[in-house]
Amino acid sequence: MVDPDKHTDSTTTTTKSANGRAAVGEKFELNKYSKTLTQDPTLPAAQAMFYGIGLTEDDLKKAQVGIVSTGYDGNTCNMHLNKLAQEVKTAVWDNDLVGLMFHTIGVSDGMSNGTEGMRYSLVSREVIADSIETVCGAQYYDGLIAVVGCDKNMPGALIAMGRLNRPAIMVYGGTIAGGNWKGEKLNIISAFEALGKKMAGTITPEDFKGVVQNACPGAGACGGMYTANTMASAIEALGMALPYSSSNPALSKEKSAECNEAGKAIHQLLKYDIKPRDIMTRKAFENAVTVVVALGGSTNAVLHLIAMAKSVGVSLTQDDFQTISDKTPLIADLKPSGKYLMEELHRIGGVPSVIKYLLNEGFIHGDCLTVTGKTIAENVADAKDLDFAKQDVIVPVKKPLKTTGHLQILYGNLAQGGSVAKITGKEGEKFKGPARVFDGEFALIDGIQSGKVKTGDVVVIRNVGPKGAPGMPEMLKPTSAIMGTGLGKSVALITDGRFSGGTHGFVVGHITPEAFEGGLIGLVEDNDQIEIDIKGHQINLLVDAQTLAKRKAAWKQPRLSVTSGILLKYAKQVKTAADGCVTDEE
């Protein structure tokens, strides 16, 4: 661990050893970047503006920390973030630094799911990354603390941190409390699945309304191991958030204390010049993937972690997820496929207790540096030991829910560039059936209501990929409708789009190449036989080569559904799902 007693001021001499930790050496200054604006005598206008915002002459000698909030009123995940950011700002100033707040956007996945607005969700990750990089690059902030809540906020912030490579910490807004209706525990997915029950006529109008009105009782991100909690857990395991950040509830004294600790931690990172690329190493990403797999996390983690790794020059591919999934058991009984919410995991010790257990069982690299200045092993040394006699949120690795991970990477003629399946063990490992083809999710909803989808079908939703939508929307409304109508155990669903972390069932997404780019998924016709083999890692269209050749010869790329604006720019820049859907590569 770095010894703070050896380092007392901004002119302390430090270097980093091979593992990125501070040691006595050459001179380092906390205000490495901000002094460009505050100390250069040829930039009096900049200094005048700093005085104009209320800084003193003494303040201009201090390091400046940008505090970015994705807070806004229109989303439970984000509605409280500006308050948390103010607490972080106070803590930064209390640690003899200048804290300056700014804001970036957010998009509510829960609200936009099932609408055309969902096309903007994944796009928002890039806007967030670009805007944070832009502000910090232009303003010369020495460090960055991102206060984030919903799904795309977190990878967007981490991508920006990787690009900037300045001392940085992510503060997660925390999970929402569970809802309740007539004694039934609720969460956001309860509302989506209630729609399916309404279609099937298995829920009363009173209960439908009761579920919708009580599923989200206040501030915080969706409560299960959906994408927000998945990414928060992964980023804590990666080392870029303080211990317990991912499991501290949104409205808790622990979350407020974390904001205070962030001010101390960013001062330490600045003092010892510990930057994201010192922390976000290949081994750290392996830790993050391991925790995602052990907890049964969202398929979205695949493309987000690949994109985050690219931002720091680390090679991470879909196949790495398969390698780790092959040797990591699923041990968390968390929603959507399990029983519990994140608040129950918090009560038994949170993510640090899970990491400690996985470390002791040999699944975690304990020597990876983190934003505390300590290793991941040091961070969790005092975490609670999991008591398997008193809780079953987390089960032992020797008696797992599934002996290997739920994230499975499939190839085959339908996915020559790969695809991502989410198989927790309850769905089976092989599915074969006739295709039921829909161009977009709205057509499928109509198909469910009209009875077109039947037991044994392989539902195909296409032209919803990164370019085809554009924006690669989540298929949560369709999968929830399938579950709610009682078809969840009897049909499979494949798509070139993606899934919400709340999706469960026999589902395969991220199919590459997508239909818009000429992928075979675009040539499937109703009643074609499709076979999905999880153990064999294959997804194939069982149609003869001659027939496929004729279909391919007749295929024409559809026109983009947009002609201007951000969706057009995204469609022209975005890479495939296998490449993390990044937009900053040639």
Side-chain angles (χ1 to χ4, degrees):
M1 186 175 100
V2 227
D3 184 354
D5 295 333
K6 294 181 181 177
H7 309 279
T8 56
D9 56 44
S10 64
T11 60
T12 296
T13 60
T14 66
T15 59
K16 294 195 294 289
S17 60
N19 67 357
R21 309 175 82 179
V24 175
E26 66 182 75
K27 182 177 179 180
F28 176 71
E29 296 170 306
L30 271 71
N31 60 346
K32 180 177 179 180
Y33 299 100
S34 61
K35 68 179 181 181
T36 300
L37 298 181
T38 61
Q39 306 298 312
D40 188 338
T42 68
L43 296 173
Q47 289 141 37
M49 294 179 81
F50 281 126
Y51 288 125
I53 66 171
L55 299 190
T56 66
E57 189 170 356
D58 186 52
D59 290 334
L60 296 192
K61 298 173 186 175
K62 299 176 182 177
Q64 295 184 0
V65 177
I67 302 160
V68 60
S69 171
T70 59
Y72 65 103
D73 292 344
N75 184 19
T76 53
C77 308
N78 298 66
M79 62 190 282
H80 62 306
L81 298 185
N82 288 339
K83 178 179 179 294
L84 294 181
Q86 286 288 351
E87 293 182 36
V88 171
K89 178 180 175 179
T90 298
V92 168
W93 278 92
D94 286 347
N95 281 274
D96 203 32
L97 304 167
V98 172
L100 299 169
M101 276 186 63
F102 66 101
H103 297 83
T104 187
I105 69 158
V107 166
S108 170
D109 287 14
M111 292 179 180
S112 61
N113 253 301
T115 75
E116 292 285 0
M118 224 297 147
R119 297 185 298 170
Y120 291 90
S121 169
L122 188 56
V123 177
S124 76
R125 186 191 76 181
E126 307 309 298
V127 178
I128 291 164
D130 292 350
S131 62
I132 294 173
E133 178 193 359
T134 299
V135 172
C136 291
Q139 298 297 131
Y140 287 91
Y141 291 145
D142 301 291
L144 171 67
I145 300 177
V147 185
V148 290
C150 199
D151 299 10
K152 309 309 174 295
N153 304 175
M154 284 170 274
L158 267 289
I159 289 167
M161 290 174 184
R163 292 176 186 171
L164 291 161
N165 200 35
R166 300 176 192 179
I169 300 171
M170 189 196 84
V171 174
Y172 176 42
T175 186
I176 194 172
N180 188 286
W181 174 248
K182 293 183 176 179
E184 178 189 355
K185 290 184 178 180
L186 302 176
N187 63 91
I188 186 63
I189 305 305
S190 306
F192 280 99
E193 294 186 356
L195 175 63
K197 294 177 183 178
K198 185 178 181 181
M199 290 177 184
T202 58
I203 190 171
T204 67
E206 178 199 3
D207 286 340
F208 178 76
K209 186 176 181 179
V211 169
V212 171
Q213 291 184 343
N214 292 279
C216 297
C222 302
M225 192 45 60
Y226 311 142
T227 303
N229 283 329
T230 296
M231 294 312 301
S233 301
I235 290 164
E236 183 176 327
L238 186 67
M240 288 298 295
L242 294 172
Y244 300 96
S245 180
S246 60
S247 44
N248 285 335
L251 304 179
S252 66
K253 63 181 186 300
E254 293 95 335
K255 184 56 66 178
S256 186
E258 179 190 336
C259 292
N260 185 59
E261 286 300 312
K264 300 175 186 176
I266 196 69
H267 190 277
Q268 292 291 90
L269 293 177
L270 287 162
K271 183 182 288 187
Y272 305 133
D273 194 25
I274 298 174
K275 299 189 284 290
R277 294 188 184 210
D278 301 319
I279 296 171
M280 297 166 68
T281 62
R282 167 71 190 200
K283 287 167 67 176
F285 275 101
E286 290 177 0
N287 285 346
V289 175
T290 297
V291 167
V292 168
V293 173
L295 293 178
S298 168
T299 52
N300 283 314
V302 178
L303 60 85
H304 291 328
L305 285 168
I306 288 172
M308 288 160 52
K310 284 175 181 282
S311 77
V312 292
V314 168
S315 175
L316 187 72
T317 70
Q318 292 178 133
D319 295 336
D320 292 319
F321 282 80
Q322 187 63 64
T323 298
I324 292 173
S325 202
D326 285 344
K327 62 184 180 183
T328 306
L330 173 61
I331 59 171
D333 195 11
L334 296 167
K335 288 182 180 292
S337 58
K339 293 186 291 187
Y340 296 108
L341 296 173
M342 195 66 160
E343 60 185 357
E344 276 96 11
L345 180 59
H346 171 69
R347 293 190 189 109
I348 65 165
V351 170
S353 289
V354 176
I355 293 175
K356 182 179 182 180
Y357 177 62
L358 290 171
L359 175 69
N360 291 338
E361 293 293 327
F363 292 96
I364 293 287
H365 303 293
D367 60 344
C368 293
L369 185 66
T370 74
V371 291
T372 64
K374 302 176 183 179
T375 64
I376 192 80
E378 290 169 329
N379 282 351
V380 303
D382 295 328
K384 284 184 189 176
D385 291 320
L386 294 172
D387 187 340
F388 298 113
K390 294 183 178 179
Q391 62 79 36
D392 60 354
V393 180
I394 305 295
V395 300
V397 295
K398 291 181 175 57
K399 295 182 180 179
L401 299 171
K402 187 172 183 289
T403 55
T404 57
H406 65 301
L407 295 179
Q408 298 292 314
I409 308 302
L410 311 184
Y411 291 92
N413 66 1
L414 266 174
Q416 293 177 327
S419 62
V420 182
K422 185 178 185 180
I423 305 296
T424 61
K426 299 178 180 180
E427 309 84 357
E429 294 184 320
K430 187 173 279 192
F431 199 105
K432 182 180 177 182
R436 203 63 56 217
V437 183
F438 301 92
D439 285 307
E441 62 176 304
F442 307 115
L444 171 59
I445 296 299
D446 292 341
I448 292 172
Q449 291 177 318
S450 67
K452 183 179 178 181
V453 178
K454 296 181 173 58
T455 294
D457 285 347
V458 178
V459 174
V460 179
I461 307 178
R462 64 188 181 193
N463 291 309
V464 288
K467 293 181 185 291
M472 202 183 182
E474 293 178 348
M475 298 294 107
L476 178 58
K477 186 176 180 180
T479 56
S480 296
I482 285 171
M483 283 291 173
T485 52
L487 289 167
K489 294 182 179 180
S490 60
V491 302
L493 187 150
I494 71 171
T495 180
D496 52 7
R498 35 184 203 100
F499 297 115
S500 162
T503 293
H504 57 121
F506 206 118
V507 295
V508 183
H510 301 205
I511 287 179
T512 306
E514 61 176 292
F516 184 84
E517 294 281 71
L520 194 61
I521 188 173
L523 304 182
V524 180
E525 296 182 359
D526 278 346
N527 296 313
D528 286 347
Q529 288 290 309
I530 292 175
E531 184 174 57
I532 308 166
D533 179 1
I534 300 301
K535 280 191 173 181
H537 303 292
Q538 289 285 307
I539 177 169
N540 288 297
L541 179 63
L542 305 181
V543 173
D544 65 88
Q546 186 176 4
T547 301
L548 290 180
K550 286 182 181 178
R551 292 182 190 176
K552 191 160 190 176
W555 179 82
K556 292 182 180 179
Q557 186 176 55
R559 288 186 176 184
L560 280 171
S561 61
V562 292
T563 57
S564 63
I566 192 168
L567 292 178
L568 178 64
K569 289 193 284 187
Y570 186 82
K572 288 183 175 297
Q573 292 175 264
V574 68
K575 299 298 180 183
T576 71
D579 293 313
C581 291
V582 297
T583 58
D584 61 341
E585 289 183 341
E586 293 183 2

